Amino acid sequence: DAGVIQSPRHEVTEMGQEVTLRCKPISGHDYLFWYRQTMMRGLELLIYFNNNVPIDDSGMPEDRFSAKMPNASFSTLKIQPSEPRDSAVYFCASSLGNRETQYFGPGTRLLVL
Amino acid sequence: AQTVTQSQPEMSVQEAETVTLSCTYDTSESDYYLFWYKQPPSRQMILVIRQEAYKQQNATENRFSVNFQKAAKSFSLKISDSQLGDAAMYFCAYGGRSTSGTYKYIFGTGTRLKVLA
């Protein structure tokens, strides 16, 4: 199995630009999670989906952040407009069931200048 | 609200020795599960071990074992025969249903483990 795939691996952008992060979960997994990791706040859950439906988005910082899952094999996390404080590593993870092990992707390191 | 606390920002262990990483959590739920994840310098999050709260027996995975004390809400990780490859950031994590009915997934702040040759 290829594991969870994220793209891009690194993203450098300027403040105000739109950023789109992409994730392909493990085939057959029905849960998909987006996390953000920073030195200050650690690893935070932003949103998670079950069967492509958003279940809990209470971790999404503000309206500049949005996430979609148009089908079982693809999800996006969009930041518009981006700000320097959005600089972080963003992880996508998937699992088979909400009580099972979450398998993480390699992360996207985002730097907003 | 559920919380996860890792009080040791950094730990060191001599190669081949044993080390224990601490984790405490707080929840009012009875049905939940706990994880330890490892994050090496590559940044990849890797599951180390998993424990269901309803199971009294402590989980074991090769050199890794947990001491799960449900009443004390403690979930420590013991690494035996430490190897250089164990050097990483270790995160304790909680998963369980919240009062709203959705599941909550909460990670601790991590403990950086250094293994000394």
Side-chain angles (χ1 to χ4, degrees):
Chain A
D1 199 324
V4 176
I5 298 171
Q6 291 187 246
S7 65
R9 294 293 306 277
H10 303 274
E11 178 81 30
V12 181
T13 190
E14 292 187 347
M15 184 174 63
Q17 296 298 306
E18 178 180 293
V19 175
T20 299
L21 311 181
R22 298 173 175 79
C23 174
K24 177 179 169 56
I26 293 173
S27 178
H29 282 191
D30 57 349
Y31 280 80
L32 183 138
F33 307 83
W34 281 101
Y35 289 90
R36 177 173 68 175
Q37 185 177 35
T38 61
M39 288 293 293
M40 291 297 295
R41 301 176 66 90
L43 195 63
E44 304 172 279
L45 176 65
L46 300 177
I47 185 172
Y48 75 91
F49 296 81
N50 174 218
N51 290 326
N52 314 337
V53 176
I55 301 301
D56 186 353
D57 65 354
S58 60
M60 295 286 263
E62 48 198 273
D63 292 345
R64 297 185 298 106
F65 286 69
S66 62
K68 294 181 180 180
M69 192 165 185
N71 57 63
S73 59
F74 184 66
S75 177
T76 60
L77 178 67
K78 187 174 293 186
I79 308 172
Q80 165 66 16
S82 59
E83 296 182 3
R85 59 190 169 129
D86 301 330
S87 298
V89 179
Y90 291 82
F91 286 100
C92 175
S94 71
S95 67
L96 183 60
N98 61 359
R99 299 183 63 85
E100 300 306 316
T101 300
Q102 294 181 24
Y103 293 86
F104 283 74
T108 295
R109 183 178 292 277
L110 173 65
L111 178 60
V112 182
L113 302 174
Chain B
Q2 295 91 345
T3 60
V4 175
T5 301
Q6 292 180 252
S7 58
Q8 305 154 317
E10 190 171 294
M11 293 280 285
S12 295
V13 62
Q14 205 71 34
E15 198 176 2
E17 297 295 309
T18 296
V19 65
T20 298
L21 308 184
S22 301
C23 174
T24 59
Y25 61 95
D26 191 22
T27 182
S28 58
E29 301 296 318
S30 59
D31 182 21
Y32 55 90
Y33 55 100
L34 300 159
F35 294 92
W36 278 97
Y37 277 91
K38 169 185 177 181
Q39 187 178 39
S42 67
R43 212 170 62 204
Q44 180 74 49
M45 293 283 286
I46 304 164
L47 177 73
V48 175
I49 201 162
R50 179 175 182 273
Q51 173 84 42
E52 287 277 3
Y54 68 82
K55 290 186 178 179
Q56 292 186 338
Q57 187 173 4
N58 289 325
T60 298
E61 194 71 40
N62 299 316
R63 297 182 296 107
F64 299 88
S65 62
V66 298
N67 183 4
F68 175 47
Q69 301 289 327
K70 190 171 184 178
K73 295 180 181 174
S74 171
F75 183 61
S76 61
L77 175 70
K78 185 171 82 170
I79 306 174
S80 304
D81 185 25
S82 297
Q83 300 175 1
L84 294 177
D86 295 334
M89 196 77 163
Y90 286 82
F91 292 95
C92 178
Y94 164 98
R97 198 178 294 279
S98 69
T99 53
S100 67
T102 61
Y103 264 73
K104 290 296 181 185
Y105 304 92
I106 301 167
F107 283 71
T109 51
T111 296
R112 183 172 302 282
L113 178 66
K114 295 184 177 181
V115 181
L116 309 173

